[in-house]
Amino acid sequence: MVFALANSEFDIIKKFLATPNLNFLRDGVELGIGDDAAIIKPPPDQNLVFSLDVLASGVHFPADAKPDVIARRALGVNLSDLAAMAADPLCFTLGLTIPEIKEDWIEQFTDGLSTLAREFNCPLVGGDLSSGQLQIAIQVHGLVPDGMATLRSGAQIGDSILVTGTLGDAAVALLGLGYESHLGSDFKLHGLADPQPLFERYFFPSPRVEFALGCRGLANAAIDISDGFVSDLSHVLRESRLGAEIEEAALPFSATAEACLSESMLTQACLNGGDDYELCLMVSQDSKDEVFEVAKNCDLSLCEVGIIEEIEGVRLKTRDGKMVAVNGDGYKHF
Amino acid sequence: MVFALANSEFDIIKKFLATPNLNFLRDGVELGIGDDAAIIKPPPDQNLVFSLDVLASGVHFPADAKPDVIARRALGVNLSDLAAMAADPLCFTLGLTIPEIKEDWIEQFTDGLSTLAREFNCPLVGGDLSSGQLQIAIQVHGLVPDGMATLRSGAQIGDSILVTGTLGDAAVALLGLGYESHLGSDFKLHGLADPQPLFERYFFPSPRVEFALGCRGLANAAIDISDGFVSDLSHVLRESRLGAEIEEAALPFSATAEACLSESMLTQACLNGGDDYELCLMVSQDSKDEVFEVAKNCDLSLCEVGIIEEIEGVRLKTRDGKMVAVNGDGYKHF
């Protein structure tokens, strides 16, 4: 059901969700909020790409997180999945369960959603609002021309492994916010540097949509980095039945992360920190320059961190020249 | 993300979700479980219709409900929304949050899902599995030819209001199962009749897909009855800016419901019981015979319960000839 419009729900939906800020008009969307279902009409030469993510309070975000932060994370991580497929955002649905109706909370939540929805021209078209423990289910829908989606399975031997932005920032932010890290008790802040500049990197992931659309047809495979770089790269390698060699010295990190962590913990944050929502692209040598050009035009940093190889598994070439096997012990949901 | 394939999640997804029983091939589905997103390609002359519903433990189903019951309800209620739009099921996504991995539970849950998925040729194509309080988010996707979706807004003055099956059975079942009803403390079992035959009506709603597809182009408006007949009819009336007169004597109920409730409570169950997952169609006099013929061919009972009128609101003509206003105090989610 597209928002059960009964009683108090009806009022909340009308006031906060079925608004021009969220349920706005967009080409391709035939029917939004207000019926049993939403309707879209993809153009004849396009595929519809969609991804559903659920964020639960106390699991995917701290129980006391601000509503606009939760909203922007929830929609942002989904848009990041679309970017990984080279799909152009079209619209999204929202399944929101909240313990009670607090108008202030809902207003801030929907304001946060609206910021990203407007930025990516991706209106809310339906969903479900009900009571229950706080959880946010969001499905985003995007369009990609026939055969142009970038899959995990397309990596080729000799492809460069490219990573946008910097890795490990969100893991440092979580430490700075006082939360325990899944990376263990050794993973802690080092020195006196202030991790505060990185909080936004955790709160407000930036889906790399513009870059991804610019790279259509240039990457052999792609994935977004959510669980952790090695863990996510391993999905690509598994689907492509290949392996990879990564250079420790090539891993991209921010100056703040560097100042906050010891050298070995910095590498750990880059490899397995998670919540980065950067893109990892597998690109042939022929296309590499063009992909770097796209990144430059998007004002986005891009690093070559390794190469796809025939032998399965992920090998890390350390700063002192040793080769060690690393595994994808990224974020474990259980 | 289409099932974060990390660690134990990966094994669970591979063993129970990315299986031929759920993630089966189907025309129109280009890519199912295993990448950042799923891909479908609707035929050029078709619209994509989709509906997201979230079921939370302790709110939408009893916390101790059996996993196959939860699964079939979760997918069934969504398919019922597609039926209301006259859409043909195509595929679905699942956002499952569970407190812990219990393989027995997951096996029964996925068996239940698979039963309906197979029956309606509607494979699972992606989603999200993580820890959290038990909640099931399901989005179903269906196809309908351009302009053929049945909306809530299309009712016309003089349309007959038709209802499939019987109403109130699920409300009686819930009483029989020992749960308190939202209809208040006066709503209770009456006499010695056994409500047990109705338990299946609550546990396993039957989406009226075949009937709905047969009625394409014949109904002016439609809705599925989930919150309660009057509540849901009121959505149609609101969207169509019209009113309705309902005949108490014409309301369809089962013999078991009749035996379990007093006469006034039986009417209450039919009007506001909810969880019926029957269809309510607004049909012109010219098309009525044809719709009854479709129901007959589907071996589905169909009743004419009232008529669409110009004056807004819902009026009930009681068995003793009085006219009373009734409102849509169906199920309140808060």
Side-chain angles (χ1 to χ4, degrees):
Chain A
M1 170 177 306
V2 173
F3 293 120
L5 302 180
N7 314 311
S8 58
E9 274 172 271
F10 178 74
D11 298 328
I12 293 295
I13 291 162
K14 200 169 156 193
K15 189 166 174 184
F16 295 109
L17 297 164
T19 67
N21 281 332
L22 276 172
N23 187 217
F24 50 85
L25 297 175
R26 193 217 192 274
D27 273 1
V29 175
E30 304 280 312
L31 184 71
I33 295 174
D35 217 298
D36 287 281
I39 305 180
I40 57 180
K41 182 165 173 56
D45 58 342
Q46 304 263 318
N47 289 181
L48 188 81
V49 175
F50 49 94
S51 167
L52 171 67
D53 256 312
V54 181
L55 272 66
S57 171
V59 179
H60 301 92
F61 56 86
D64 57 357
K66 290 185 180 170
D68 65 319
V69 169
I70 301 170
R72 286 179 59 174
R73 267 185 70 80
L75 183 52
V77 304
N78 265 299
L79 288 165
S80 182
D81 281 316
L82 284 192
M85 306 292 281
D88 197 5
L90 174 65
C91 63
F92 74 102
T93 51
L94 165 70
L96 176 63
T97 51
I98 41 181
E100 55 184 326
I101 297 277
K102 281 187 195 164
E103 294 215 358
D104 269 11
W105 191 97
I106 295 173
E107 186 171 8
Q108 290 170 47
F109 181 84
T110 50
D111 281 353
L113 271 189
S114 173
T115 305
L116 273 193
R118 284 283 180 188
E119 181 180 345
F120 292 97
N121 193 22
C122 185
L124 175 68
V125 296
D128 191 15
L129 171 67
S130 64
S131 66
Q133 197 191 47
L134 180 60
Q135 285 196 15
I136 298 101
I138 284 186
Q139 179 158 318
V140 285
H141 310 79
L143 295 173
V144 66
D146 285 347
M148 295 289 275
T150 321
L151 307 187
R152 294 179 178 179
S153 54
Q156 303 292 323
I157 297 169
D159 280 355
S160 286
I161 302 170
L162 310 182
V163 170
T164 61
T166 51
L167 297 176
D169 291 338
V172 176
L174 274 176
L175 285 183
L177 289 162
Y179 296 102
E180 214 173 303
S181 171
H182 68 282
L183 296 174
S185 54
D186 287 350
F187 186 70
K188 54 192 172 194
L189 296 177
H190 165 89
L192 294 172
D194 184 1
Q196 205 268 338
L198 298 181
F199 290 180
E200 291 234 326
R201 289 275 292 152
Y202 174 75
F203 289 146
F204 306 122
S206 301
R208 305 304 188 188
V209 172
E210 185 192 359
F211 170 72
L213 297 183
C215 292
R216 265 185 188 162
L218 296 175
N220 287 330
I223 193 166
D224 82 315
I225 304 171
S226 54
D227 290 341
F229 169 56
V230 176
S231 175
D232 291 314
L233 174 62
S234 297
H235 299 322
V236 171
L237 299 176
R238 192 183 300 115
E239 295 296 322
S240 302
R241 294 164 190 268
L242 293 170
E245 183 184 315
I246 303 299
E247 291 252 8
E248 185 182 19
L251 293 169
F253 47 79
S254 66
T256 308
E258 187 184 18
C260 288
L261 297 174
S262 70
E263 194 176 89
S264 65
M265 286 302 122
L266 184 61
T267 296
Q268 174 73 316
C270 289
L271 294 179
N272 296 319
D275 286 322
D276 301 297
Y277 300 103
E278 296 293 347
L279 288 187
C280 173
L281 268 63
M282 279 33 77
V283 174
S284 73
Q285 299 310 311
D286 288 348
S287 299
K288 207 167 68 177
D289 289 350
E290 215 174 327
V291 170
F292 271 95
E293 192 63 28
V294 173
K296 196 178 156 195
N297 292 338
C298 296
D299 204 18
L300 180 65
S301 68
L302 184 70
C303 281
E304 180 170 358
V305 299
I307 197 155
I308 297 292
E309 296 179 335
E310 188 170 5
I311 301 163
E312 296 192 12
V314 182
R315 292 159 291 283
L316 181 74
K317 191 174 167 190
T318 64
R319 280 195 187 80
D320 53 10
K322 284 185 196 142
M323 197 70 86
V324 296
V326 289
N327 67 17
D329 261 342
Y331 181 71
K332 284 182 188 171
H333 292 274
F334 290 96
Chain B
M1 170 177 303
V2 174
F3 292 123
L5 301 180
N7 314 308
S8 58
E9 275 172 87
F10 179 76
D11 299 328
I12 292 295
I13 291 162
K14 198 170 157 191
K15 189 166 174 184
F16 295 108
L17 295 164
T19 67
N21 282 332
L22 275 173
N23 188 213
F24 49 85
L25 296 176
R26 193 219 193 273
D27 274 0
V29 175
E30 304 281 311
L31 185 71
I33 295 174
D35 216 297
D36 287 281
I39 305 180
I40 57 181
K41 184 169 172 52
D45 57 343
Q46 305 262 318
N47 290 179
L48 188 81
V49 175
F50 50 95
S51 168
L52 170 67
D53 256 313
V54 181
L55 272 65
S57 170
V59 179
H60 300 93
F61 56 85
D64 57 354
K66 290 184 179 171
D68 65 319
V69 168
I70 301 170
R72 286 179 59 176
R73 268 186 69 80
L75 184 52
V77 303
N78 265 298
L79 289 166
S80 182
D81 280 317
L82 284 192
M85 305 291 282
D88 197 7
L90 173 66
C91 64
F92 74 102
T93 51
L94 166 69
L96 176 63
T97 51
I98 40 180
E100 55 184 326
I101 296 279
K102 281 187 192 165
E103 292 216 0
D104 269 11
W105 191 96
I106 295 172
E107 186 170 9
Q108 290 170 48
F109 182 84
T110 50
D111 280 353
L113 272 189
S114 172
T115 305
L116 272 194
R118 283 283 180 190
E119 182 181 344
F120 291 96
N121 192 25
C122 185
L124 175 67
V125 296
D128 191 17
L129 171 67
S130 64
S131 66
Q133 196 192 46
L134 180 60
Q135 286 196 14
I136 299 102
I138 285 186
Q139 179 158 317
V140 285
H141 311 79
L143 295 173
V144 66
D146 284 346
M148 296 289 275
T150 321
L151 308 188
R152 294 179 179 179
S153 53
Q156 303 292 325
I157 296 170
D159 280 356
S160 285
I161 301 169
L162 309 182
V163 169
T164 62
T166 51
L167 298 175
D169 291 338
V172 176
L174 275 176
L175 285 183
L177 288 161
Y179 297 101
E180 215 172 302
S181 171
H182 69 284
L183 296 174
S185 56
D186 286 350
F187 187 70
K188 53 193 173 193
L189 296 177
H190 165 89
L192 295 171
D194 183 0
Q196 205 269 336
L198 298 181
F199 289 179
E200 292 234 326
R201 289 276 291 152
Y202 175 75
F203 288 146
F204 305 123
S206 301
R208 305 305 188 188
V209 172
E210 185 192 2
F211 169 73
L213 297 183
C215 292
R216 264 186 189 163
L218 297 175
N220 288 330
I223 194 166
D224 82 314
I225 303 171
S226 54
D227 290 340
F229 169 55
V230 176
S231 176
D232 291 314
L233 175 62
S234 297
H235 299 323
V236 170
L237 299 176
R238 192 183 301 115
E239 295 295 324
S240 302
R241 296 165 190 266
L242 293 170
E245 184 184 314
I246 304 299
E247 291 252 6
E248 184 181 19
L251 294 168
F253 47 77
S254 68
T256 306
E258 187 183 19
C260 287
L261 297 174
S262 69
E263 193 175 87
S264 66
M265 288 300 124
L266 185 59
T267 296
Q268 174 71 317
C270 289
L271 294 180
N272 296 319
D275 285 322
D276 301 297
Y277 300 103
E278 297 294 348
L279 289 187
C280 172
L281 269 62
M282 279 35 74
V283 175
S284 74
Q285 299 310 313
D286 286 349
S287 299
K288 206 166 72 177
D289 288 352
E290 216 175 325
V291 171
F292 271 96
E293 191 64 29
V294 173
K296 196 178 154 191
N297 292 339
C298 295
D299 206 17
L300 179 64
S301 67
L302 184 69
C303 281
E304 180 171 358
V305 299
I307 197 154
I308 298 291
E309 297 179 335
E310 190 171 3
I311 302 164
E312 295 191 12
V314 182
R315 292 158 292 280
L316 181 74
K317 191 174 166 189
T318 64
R319 282 196 185 79
D320 52 11
K322 285 185 198 142
M323 198 69 86
V324 296
V326 288
N327 67 18
D329 261 343
Y331 180 71
K332 284 182 188 171
H333 292 273
F334 290 94

